[in-house]
């Protein structure tokens, strides 16, 4: 990062704090400029952001925060439900301190709210509140429905449920959201629905999860034949020739080099137009690379090759969310390459790919999101974290069994955070790491079920 004169989001936050803390004149200017601070979703703030806000507001504090401990679901990036208590403890002695509880919910039926209340009440160390519909305008509906099914049965019964809702006139496709705990479940459930001829929009939040981004990077790694070339070739062939054929091909050539695989493909190209397309594209890109084109020019050449692939042709002929998402991020990946070359005029493809590898370490790189004009065309499928702030007439949450949801507790292999006992909230609790994980899973579930406006369907095991 130093060599590239680059900053990530963490660097910017730390740099901001150090500047304000170490430079009194800058701090005075900021305090003079900002008389009042308003922070939304305060439960999702991390420690560093809180320190910055508190530093600015040390003198004559005038600050408003809005937050809900029960919706704190971003502990993996430093957020903590203790934020609300910390704010209370810090400012409650101020003469103008006030605390307003917002417990009226105009989104969900009371039956759904009752389930949410019963769930989150098991969590200790929270500000007590009971969600309810406004008096005189109580919204009622069906009780949340528990459907007993293991994972395979869920993948069979869930499409049947959606067909029933549509055929009975109870919903349009876009009224329904399937919300999952993890990305693997999002993929599994969307595949099962597509096989059942149900139109699906899979919401991809992360830049490096977008297929077009993976495709561009795969072609880049294959062209320079680096340590990722084998994986890259597998992805390219799988898209062009199918997973079954590609798996057989790679098994037949285990422990061979990337050059050996390419030579073997040349022997097969006369029998397959798909293989011929891959080899022709590879040859075209290698010739461009041999001209020592810069990274942005090579990315443009890769996109030109992809333009003729079935994948891109499908994107250009259809205009659903997934297609527009890929087109939007094709532009973003080219923009990243252009900015890289602007910083490093000698930035060739191999340097850019190393830079992208480093960027991929940041799990929060956001994908460019297209505007969706008509959401009624497809069932929306997403993770619970992606659903936060959204609402749908009908919500389906599948795979409610231990290890899936609640998710399995996996301790990090490397130290990525301070020990809980060192933190302010750690000193105020006797709970171990496992219990804190379960409490977070309850909050994630609470967020998921409160996305539902009218109907809520839950798929879980036959035995508890």
């Amino acid at each position: 990062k130093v060599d590239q004169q680059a900053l990530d989001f963490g660097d910017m936050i730390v740099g901001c704090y150090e500047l304000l803390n170490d430079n009194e004149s800058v701090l005075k200017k900021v305090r003079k400029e900002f008389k009042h601070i308003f922070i939304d979703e305060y439960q999702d703030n991390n420690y560093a952001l809180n320190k910055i806000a508190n530093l600015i507001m040390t003198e004559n504090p005038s600050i408003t925060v809005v937050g809900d401990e029960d919706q704190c679901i971003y502990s993996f990036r430093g957020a903590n439900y203790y934020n609300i208590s910390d704010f209370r403890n810090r400012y409650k002695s101020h003469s103008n301190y006030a605390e307003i509880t917002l417990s009226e919910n105009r989104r969900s039926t009371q039956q759904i709210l009752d389930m949410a209340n019963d769930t989150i009440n098991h969590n200790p160390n929270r500000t007590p509140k009971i969600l309810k519909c406004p008096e005189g305008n109580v919204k009622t509906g069906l009780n949340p429905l528990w459907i007993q099914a293991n994972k395979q049965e869920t993948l069979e019964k869930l499409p049947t449920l959606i067909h029933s809702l549509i055929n009975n006139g109870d919903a349009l496709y876009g009224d329904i959201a399937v919300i999952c705990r993890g990305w693997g479940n999002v993929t599994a459930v969307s595949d099962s629905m597509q096989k059942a001829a149900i139109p699906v929009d899979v919401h991809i939040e992360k830049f490096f999860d977008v297929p077009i981004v993976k495709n561009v990077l795969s072609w880049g790694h294959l062209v320079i034949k680096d340590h990722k070339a084998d994986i890259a070739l597998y992805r390219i062939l799988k898209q062009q020739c199918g997973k079954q054929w590609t798996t057989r091909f790679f098994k037949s050539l285990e422990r061979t080099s990337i050059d050996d695989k390419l030579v073997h493909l040349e022997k097969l190209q006369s029998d397959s137009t798909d293989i011929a397309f891959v080899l022709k594209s590879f040859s075209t890109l290698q010739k461009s690379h041999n001209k020592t084109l810069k990274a942005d020019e090579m990315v443009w050449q890769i996109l030109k090759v992809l333009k003729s692939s079935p994948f891109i042709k499908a994107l250009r002929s259809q205009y659903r969310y997934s297609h527009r998402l890929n087109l939007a991020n094709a532009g973003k990946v080219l923009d990243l390459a252009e900015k890289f070359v602007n910083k490093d005029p000698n930035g060739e493809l191999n340097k850019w790919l190393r830079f992208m590898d480093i960027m991929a370490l940041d799990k929060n790189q956001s994908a460019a999101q297209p505007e969706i004009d008509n959401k009624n065309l497809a069932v929306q499928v997403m993770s619970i974290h992606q659903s936060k702030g959204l609402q749908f007439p009908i919500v389906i949450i599948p795979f409610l069994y231990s290890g899936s949801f609640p998710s399995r507790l996996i301790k990090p292999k490397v130290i990525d955070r301070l020990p809980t006992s060192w933190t302010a909230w750690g000193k105020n609790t006797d709970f171990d790491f496992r219990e804190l994980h379960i409490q977070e899973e309850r909050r994630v579930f609470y967020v998921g079920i409160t996305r539902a406006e009218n109907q809520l369907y839950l798929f879980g095991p036959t035995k508890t």
Side-chain angles (χ1 to χ4, degrees):
K1 288 192 293 185
V2 174
D3 292 342
Q4 296 295 331
Q5 296 182 315
L7 295 173
D8 62 21
F9 187 54
D11 297 326
M12 287 188 277
I13 293 174
V14 172
C16 176
Y17 175 77
E18 290 177 343
L19 178 64
L20 294 172
N21 192 56
D22 300 340
N23 193 318
E24 186 67 26
S25 64
V26 172
L27 180 59
K28 286 181 178 179
K29 287 180 182 179
V30 172
R31 284 174 173 168
K32 184 177 180 180
E33 177 75 18
F34 300 102
K35 303 296 186 183
H36 186 84
I37 292 180
F38 190 106
I39 304 175
D40 196 13
E41 301 287 1
Y42 189 67
Q43 77 282 348
D44 294 332
N45 253 25
N46 60 33
Y47 178 79
L49 291 172
N50 289 345
K51 291 287 285 185
I52 292 170
N54 294 333
L55 186 60
I56 296 171
M57 287 290 114
T58 298
E59 297 180 0
N60 304 315
S62 180
I63 181 170
T64 300
V65 301
V66 179
D68 183 358
E69 297 148 303
D70 299 335
Q71 295 194 51
C72 180
I73 61 173
Y74 290 101
S75 66
F76 58 85
R77 67 184 191 198
N80 194 279
Y81 68 90
Y82 183 73
N83 281 352
I84 306 298
S85 296
D86 179 64
F87 183 89
R88 183 184 293 122
N89 295 335
R90 182 178 296 275
Y91 295 111
K92 66 181 178 182
S93 61
H94 194 283
S95 59
N96 291 326
Y97 177 81
E99 196 166 325
I100 302 170
T101 301
L102 304 176
S103 59
E104 284 191 357
N105 182 296
R106 298 174 183 272
R107 172 190 296 155
S108 306
T109 65
Q110 191 59 52
Q111 287 81 359
I112 293 171
L113 297 180
D114 289 342
M115 184 177 194
N117 291 327
D118 290 342
T119 297
I120 206 63
N121 279 342
H122 289 282
N123 272 9
N125 299 335
R126 53 180 290 272
T127 304
K129 73 173 184 300
I130 300 295
L131 294 180
K132 60 182 183 299
C133 295
E135 289 186 17
N137 189 24
V138 178
K139 183 178 178 181
T140 62
L142 299 172
N143 286 326
L145 182 62
W146 180 272
I147 301 173
Q148 293 185 329
N150 59 32
K151 181 167 185 176
Q152 186 55 44
E153 291 169 339
T154 297
L155 294 175
E156 296 167 358
K157 291 183 178 182
L158 193 149
T160 301
L161 170 63
I162 293 174
H163 279 307
S164 176
L165 292 168
I166 299 300
N167 294 336
N168 293 338
D170 296 328
L172 300 172
Y173 285 118
D175 294 333
I176 303 170
V178 180
I179 303 176
C180 303
R181 178 62 182 92
W183 183 248
N185 287 334
V186 168
T187 303
V189 80
S190 61
D191 287 346
S192 72
M193 286 192 287
Q194 288 172 327
K195 288 176 182 176
I198 295 172
V200 171
D201 280 342
V202 180
H203 287 245
I204 298 178
E205 188 178 42
K206 306 303 181 188
F207 176 68
F208 288 96
D209 288 334
V210 179
I212 190 70
V213 176
K214 291 181 177 181
N215 290 351
V216 170
L217 296 177
S218 293
W219 276 107
H221 287 297
L222 181 60
V223 167
I224 67 173
K225 295 182 181 179
D226 64 4
H227 64 289
K228 292 187 176 181
D230 271 288
I231 299 172
L233 180 60
Y234 182 87
R235 177 177 179 82
I236 292 165
L237 288 176
K238 185 177 73 169
Q239 280 201 339
Q240 199 71 28
C241 305
K243 182 177 181 179
Q244 190 175 11
W245 185 91
T246 304
T247 301
R248 285 201 313 269
F249 174 78
F250 267 75
K251 281 186 176 179
S252 69
L253 294 171
E254 281 187 296
R255 298 186 179 88
T256 60
S257 68
I258 188 66
D259 286 319
D260 290 335
K261 292 182 177 71
L262 290 169
V263 168
H264 198 78
L265 284 173
E266 289 176 3
K267 298 175 182 178
L268 301 173
Q269 66 175 320
S270 60
D271 299 325
S272 170
T273 56
D274 290 322
I275 295 174
F277 171 81
V278 170
L279 291 175
K280 181 181 177 182
S281 301
F282 176 70
S283 175
T284 299
L285 292 173
Q286 271 213 318
K287 290 176 183 176
S288 298
H289 186 246
N290 291 338
K291 295 176 183 177
T292 63
L293 296 182
K294 301 297 185 290
D296 55 343
E297 296 170 312
M298 279 303 303
V299 170
W300 179 250
Q301 293 300 319
I302 291 171
L303 289 171
K304 284 174 65 176
V305 164
L306 288 173
K307 183 179 177 181
S308 302
S309 69
F311 178 76
I312 294 293
K313 286 181 179 178
L315 298 186
R316 297 170 67 197
S317 62
Q318 302 181 53
Y319 217 50
R320 288 248 306 278
Y321 167 82
S322 58
H323 307 113
R324 296 168 68 177
L325 176 81
N326 278 281
L327 291 174
N329 285 280
K332 182 170 180 176
V333 76
L334 180 59
D335 182 59
L336 284 171
E338 289 174 344
K339 288 178 178 177
F340 179 81
V341 173
N342 287 339
K343 283 184 172 291
D344 180 4
N346 296 317
E348 297 180 354
L349 181 62
N350 60 335
K351 292 183 179 180
W352 181 73
L353 289 171
R354 287 200 299 271
F355 170 74
M356 294 297 280
D357 285 342
I358 294 171
M359 279 193 64
L361 296 175
D362 179 3
K363 304 299 183 183
N364 294 317
Q365 289 289 337
S366 298
Q369 292 294 331
E371 292 293 327
I372 305 175
D373 297 325
N374 192 342
K375 297 181 181 179
N376 291 328
L377 297 177
V379 175
Q380 308 298 300
V381 186
M382 64 192 76
S383 70
I384 289 180
H385 286 83
Q386 289 172 304
S387 75
K388 196 160 183 277
L390 304 178
Q391 59 191 49
F392 305 92
I394 299 172
V395 167
I396 302 171
I397 303 180
F399 312 123
L400 288 166
Y401 52 83
S402 181
S404 176
F405 196 2
S407 65
R408 185 177 293 107
L409 173 61
I410 301 175
K411 292 185 178 181
K413 295 180 180 179
V414 296
I415 297 175
D416 63 351
R417 67 194 72 183
L418 293 174
T420 303
S421 59
W422 291 16
T423 62
W425 58 88
K427 295 173 183 176
N428 287 273
T429 181
D430 295 325
F431 298 115
D432 61 16
F433 192 69
R434 185 173 299 278
E435 175 57 28
L436 292 173
H437 171 73
I438 291 298
Q439 291 176 19
E440 171 116 342
E441 290 299 292
R442 284 197 193 102
R443 293 193 293 270
V444 175
F445 182 65
Y446 174 88
V447 168
I449 61 180
T450 52
R451 300 310 93 199
E453 297 174 358
N454 304 322
Q455 297 180 48
L456 175 64
Y457 296 90
L458 308 170
F459 282 81
T462 55
K463 296 180 181 180
T464 57

